[in-house]
Amino acid sequence: MKVKLFSIILILFIFYGCSFLKTEWRIDELYIQKIEGSSKVIYNFSAWGGLDSNPRGFIVLDSTETFQVDVEKILPIYQLSDIPNKSYFEGITHDCYGTCGETYYDSAPIFKPMKLEKMKIEDIEFTNRIYQYKGYSEHDRGLENYVFEKFKETKDSLYFYNLDDVESMDGQHLNELKVRKGEIYIQLAKNKDIKKIIADDVRLNSETKAVEQIRHIVLTPKSKIKNDKLSERGIFREVKISN
């Protein structure tokens, strides 16, 4: 009788214990981009909770699936380096390669990729280029912040005109700024107008794939822009979260 009772308790513990161990995530950022010509979508998210503390990154799903935080599905990249499509997409990341910590200042930067990883994600060919940390970081220009008067969209790029720098002390003015699509983020106001456009603009050499430039740019319109004035190609849109 005791053995039977112990078995029942053990089964109940395993069943309910699994539920107790399930992590409850609080998502604080979520963006979605439709992958052109495909039923797939790519999410970029940030969440808090559980042993992983603050998981963030990209997850590819079918558009019929509901987004859930799954740390095993996070792509091993920091940024996209091109516009995803139905057959191929790519991203970049970095590893130390002897340039982390105290060795950083004594090491020479290498801008070409150190390693290439290829795999299939949701039946789409995926390439991950891994760069030396110093080579990667020396082309990272940090945050730029502008207000702009008007813009133009092409298939692969966004052009902004009459920009004023609101980040630096000297208040730089630009007549024109071009950013590549792929990792463009649209933040929406309550009335669905565009509140901000955030561009993570990665430039790789077309032949060597060396890192040429990494820019993080926040762009705020001086006047109202409707959400539908921008296409879906290469553009993430904010998903409102109800945790």
Side-chain angles (χ1 to χ4, degrees):
M1 181 67 181
K2 288 183 179 180
V3 174
K4 189 174 181 181
L5 180 62
F6 176 78
S7 299
I8 293 171
I9 293 171
L10 181 62
I11 291 169
L12 289 172
F13 175 79
I14 293 171
F15 179 79
Y16 288 106
C18 290
S19 298
F20 294 148
L21 292 173
K22 186 178 179 181
T23 303
E24 293 293 330
W25 297 107
R26 179 176 61 82
I27 300 171
D28 57 358
E29 282 188 356
L30 185 62
Y31 293 87
I32 184 173
Q33 178 181 152
K34 293 183 179 180
I35 297 178
E36 190 175 43
S38 166
S39 65
K40 310 302 180 184
V41 295
I42 182 166
Y43 289 94
N44 192 353
F45 80 99
S46 170
W48 292 90
L51 298 175
D52 292 282
S53 182
N54 182 210
R56 57 176 60 226
F58 300 92
I59 291 178
V60 177
L61 295 175
D62 191 87
S63 58
T64 59
E65 297 180 72
T66 301
F67 177 82
Q68 292 183 332
V69 176
D70 185 342
V71 294
E72 293 184 0
K73 288 187 176 181
I74 298 174
L75 299 178
I77 59 173
Y78 289 135
Q79 292 175 273
L80 297 173
S81 52
D82 208 345
I83 301 172
N85 61 55
K86 64 180 180 181
S87 57
Y88 179 78
F89 72 110
E90 61 183 50
I92 63 172
T93 186
H94 62 69
D95 206 342
C96 284
Y97 291 105
T99 64
C100 293
E102 294 180 0
T103 60
Y104 180 90
Y105 297 100
D106 297 325
S107 57
I110 300 172
F111 302 114
K112 293 181 181 179
M114 305 292 288
K115 185 180 177 182
L116 208 63
E117 293 179 338
K118 295 190 175 185
M119 61 194 82
K120 272 199 170 185
I121 306 291
E122 291 286 330
D123 295 323
I124 302 175
E125 296 292 339
F126 168 66
T127 296
N128 180 22
R129 293 186 177 88
I130 304 171
Y131 292 84
Q132 178 209 54
Y133 172 65
K134 185 169 185 176
Y136 182 100
S137 61
E138 288 201 353
H139 276 303
D140 191 335
R141 291 182 51 175
L143 181 66
E144 301 170 61
N145 201 332
Y146 300 96
V147 292
F148 67 93
E149 188 171 295
K150 58 182 181 177
F151 76 96
K152 179 180 74 175
E153 180 180 6
T154 64
K155 183 180 179 183
D156 298 325
S157 302
L158 291 176
Y159 293 82
F160 298 90
Y161 302 98
N162 192 16
L163 304 100
D164 292 310
D165 179 3
V166 294
E167 189 72 22
S168 63
M169 296 294 290
D170 57 9
Q172 180 185 12
H173 176 83
L174 298 178
N175 292 324
E176 179 181 305
L177 174 67
K178 176 186 176 182
V179 294
R180 288 167 54 86
K181 292 163 66 175
E183 212 174 324
I184 301 290
Y185 297 90
I186 303 297
Q187 291 184 354
L188 300 175
K190 289 182 179 179
N191 63 359
K192 304 300 182 182
D193 287 343
I194 293 174
K195 181 170 66 175
K196 289 185 186 297
I197 299 172
I198 301 168
D200 281 350
D201 189 14
V202 175
R203 304 290 179 99
L204 305 181
N205 184 282
S206 59
E207 295 182 1
T208 65
K209 300 302 180 184
V211 176
E212 293 183 341
Q213 183 174 268
I214 301 173
R215 301 176 75 178
H216 310 279
I217 310 166
V218 177
L219 298 136
T220 305
K222 293 180 180 179
S223 56
K224 288 184 179 181
I225 300 175
K226 295 293 184 184
N227 183 26
D228 60 7
K229 294 298 182 182
L230 284 169
S231 72
E232 295 179 335
R233 175 178 161 82
I235 295 176
F236 287 90
R237 279 177 165 80
E238 186 178 21
V239 178
K240 295 301 181 182
I241 305 158
S242 55
N243 286 307

